[in-house]
Amino acid sequence: MKIPFLDLQRITESYQPELQEAAQRVIEKGWFILGEEVERFEAEFAQYCGTTEAIGVANGLEALRLIFEGYKLLGRLAVGDEVLVPANTYIAGILAIQHAGLVPVLCEPELETYNIDARRLESEMTPRTKALLAVHLYGRLADTQKLEAFCQQHDLLFIEDAAQAHGAFVNDLSKRAGSYGHAAGFSFYPGKNLGALGDAGAVTTSDLELATVIRKLRNYGSEQKYSCEINGFNSRLDEIQAAFLRVKLRRLDADNQQRQAIADRFLNEISNPNLILPLRSSTNNVWHLFVIRVENREHFMNYLKVNGIGTLIHYPIAPHQQKAMPEFAHCNLPITERIHREVVSIPLHQLLSDEEVAYIIETLNRYEQ
């Protein structure tokens, strides 16, 4: 049996013919930038997340950067301010901080959840600390209650990187990832739980002042064509991608529930003591990725490859060890380095069949180091 890590073609085909109808609708209207489809998606996505505002932008990196740029314009941040961020995140979050002229402060995560460790944040604070970027890594919500309390105590902006957590919630369906902080950045990269057919992103917030500024920033600093009020960017969600996202948003909860059911099978039936499985959870994890830790990662991945099972590493190189970021080379981050050294992502998406799930479980249980 051959099971690719992610079969995007299979997933995309499952949304037909709705995607074709959406594309045809946009083509027939002949309006391709900042039109009705973007407006409708923004309203639908804001309602889904539990915020008053959603602003479609070009991608997830831009979503985060525009949040920081927006708060600079509003006087809540200034060049040189520090932002607490998990050290084991994808590099995009750190780039967004730097591109806005801010300073990332890399914080160790919890080994059990891979999310930022709220217990360590106090020791990372300085007088320049003005914000926290919490990443809901692999689809699991960070401890929003503790992080919100910490930010309130220290008067910090609480910003969510929700790029992998579309639809995750704790107890209340009216509040999902993207509604816990002051603002949140989403990516709709094709492989996400809610994925476009190209690059796309969004900012969610209930701060109308911030939303107004970001709408200008994404469009050259302009609300009215050819009249630029501020120095802005070109970072807009395309009409056709918004139309695709509207189709896929309608099925997001059902897709996430299927991911959760498959994750439950993995957690209940994979019993190999050589493998460290992710921490069990309920609705606060939408299982964008099912990440296992194993000591001899290369040996394990080769074993799965021989047996027809695709894998990926999220992520092989920690941000502080990247060539592009020599300023962090001195950092002592043993938990982060262990995570990046041991993690392996196995296939998990909503269209895996019972037979494929059973084969993955059986193959993992047969693995010997």
Side-chain angles (χ1 to χ4, degrees), residues 7-178:
D7 193 341
L8 271 180
Q9 183 175 1
R10 180 175 166 189
I11 292 172
T12 302
E13 286 174 352
S14 74
Y15 291 98
Q16 299 286 23
E18 293 94 335
L19 291 177
Q20 288 178 316
E21 293 170 355
Q24 188 63 31
R25 185 171 68 244
V26 173
I27 292 168
E28 289 177 354
K29 287 180 182 177
W31 191 285
F32 303 115
I33 301 292
L34 294 184
E36 184 179 352
E37 296 294 339
V38 169
E39 289 179 2
R40 289 189 175 184
F41 172 70
E42 289 175 339
E44 291 161 4
F45 193 61
Q47 182 178 23
Y48 177 82
C49 293
T51 58
T52 62
E53 307 292 328
I55 307 100
V57 298
N59 53 62
L61 170 59
E62 288 287 283
L64 293 173
R65 179 183 180 178
L66 291 177
I67 292 170
F68 294 125
E69 296 286 0
Y71 276 125
K72 282 166 57 184
L73 286 169
L74 293 173
R76 293 293 307 274
L77 293 172
V79 170
D81 284 347
E82 294 175 352
V83 181
L84 304 174
V85 60
N88 62 315
T89 187
Y90 183 54
I91 200 169
I94 297 169
L95 289 172
I97 295 168
Q98 291 181 323
H99 288 176
L102 307 173
V103 179
V105 177
L106 305 186
C107 305
E108 286 273 60
E110 298 173 332
L111 186 60
E112 298 78 15
T113 67
Y114 309 123
N115 282 328
I116 197 164
D117 190 342
R119 298 166 298 183
R120 297 173 178 265
L121 296 180
E122 194 85 40
S123 64
E124 302 291 349
M125 293 276 295
T126 78
R128 297 295 298 171
T129 306
K130 301 298 180 182
L132 165 68
L133 178 61
V135 182
H136 305 311
L137 198 63
Y138 307 149
R140 182 190 302 273
L141 286 179
D143 193 332
T144 54
Q145 188 173 4
K146 286 184 181 178
L147 296 176
E148 184 178 9
F150 177 82
C151 289
Q152 288 178 348
Q153 178 185 353
H154 296 283
D155 192 27
L156 304 181
L157 290 169
F158 178 19
I159 299 166
E160 299 172 72
D161 180 344
Q164 300 184 359
H166 315 74
F169 65 96
V170 181
N171 297 311
D172 184 357
L173 268 172
S174 67
K175 282 183 67 66
R176 301 174 187 263

Side-chain angles (χ1 to χ4, degrees), residues 82 117 120 139 206 229 269 274 311 326 334:
E82 294 175 352
D117 190 342
R120 297 173 178 265
S206 291
E229 302 172 39
E269 299 178 40
N274 295 311
T311 57

Side-chain angles (χ1 to χ4, degrees), residues 164-238:
Q164 300 184 359
H166 315 74
F169 65 96
V170 181
N171 297 311
D172 184 357
L173 268 172
S174 67
K175 282 183 67 66
R176 301 174 187 263
S179 68
Y180 296 103
H182 292 95
F186 282 88
S187 166
F188 304 122
Y189 184 77
K192 305 296 188 185
N193 292 35
L194 179 61
L197 272 64
D199 269 325
V203 173
T204 56
T205 184
S206 291
D207 183 339
L208 179 58
E209 193 176 18
L210 177 68
T212 300
V213 170
I214 290 177
R215 285 196 170 93
K216 294 176 185 177
L217 282 171
R218 73 173 174 183
N219 190 36
Y220 300 104
S222 173
E223 254 185 329
Q224 182 179 352
K225 195 170 184 178
Y226 301 133
S227 176
C228 295
E229 302 172 39
I230 55 178
N231 288 337
F233 307 90
N234 178 5
S235 181
R236 303 173 297 208
L237 175 64
D238 289 338

